[in-house]
Amino acid sequence: MVEWVSLRTGARPVPEPASTALVWSAAFAGSLLLVAAVNALIGPGRPALALAVLSLLASLLGWCARFAAAPGTALLCWLFLNGFAIPPAGTLSWSIQRDTFWLTCLLTAALTGTTLARLGHARAAYRRLAVGRATGPGESGGESRWE
């Protein structure tokens, strides 16, 4: 006889990524705060430092996000970088080489963070499942309750 079981029962070996809306909200707030902090502490007109800080933010947000959230995360970080990290503040501009490079850096950082998180979670899940299979109930060093 076939018994139907839900695949969601029990502990999940791989954690569920955060929702895309939550990641984008964090990207919006984090970009705003980081660009404001860089402008206040070091001064405006330092886009390389702001790009590095926002790339780090995009990478960290990638650790808890889905792959689908990466383009939006990169775009939100770029909006604050372009709008407030370069003079004149508050105006968006488009320079093909510069902004394409910035968007590529931010998207690469977000995708790299997500990829590393997925690989790390898969590796940890594999180890948990492999250890669970290798040590059966009688092989765990103590006696089983069911014997």
Side-chain angles (χ1 to χ4, degrees):
M1 181 166 109
V2 175
E3 181 180 331
W4 293 97
V5 196
S6 174
L7 294 177
R8 289 243 185 225
T9 59
R12 287 185 44 100
V14 178
E16 187 73 25
S19 71
T20 302
L22 181 65
V23 172
W24 286 349
S25 299
F28 182 86
S31 297
L32 174 66
L33 292 174
L34 287 175
V35 169
V38 167
N39 285 344
L41 297 175
I42 297 168
R46 298 260 175 116
L49 179 63
L51 175 63
V53 170
L54 289 175
S55 294
L56 182 64
L57 173 70
S59 179
L60 291 175
L61 288 174
W63 277 90
C64 60
R66 304 175 195 280
F67 280 106
T73 302
L75 184 64
L76 284 168
C77 291
W78 173 81
L79 283 172
F80 282 100
L81 177 64
N82 192 346
F84 299 107
I86 57 172
T91 59
L92 290 176
S93 62
W94 180 260
S95 173
I96 292 177
Q97 289 180 342
R98 179 194 69 196
D99 291 322
T100 304
F101 175 72
W102 287 354
L103 280 169
T104 303
C105 286
L106 292 167
L107 182 61
T108 302
L111 289 174
T112 301
T114 306
T115 302
L116 290 175
R118 296 295 148 249
L119 289 174
H121 291 315
R123 185 173 183 210
Y126 176 76
R127 285 186 173 179
R128 283 192 301 268
L129 292 174
V131 168
R133 287 185 186 149
T135 59
E139 301 172 17
S140 62
E143 292 191 27
S144 174
R145 299 184 314 167
W146 306 107
E147 291 179 356

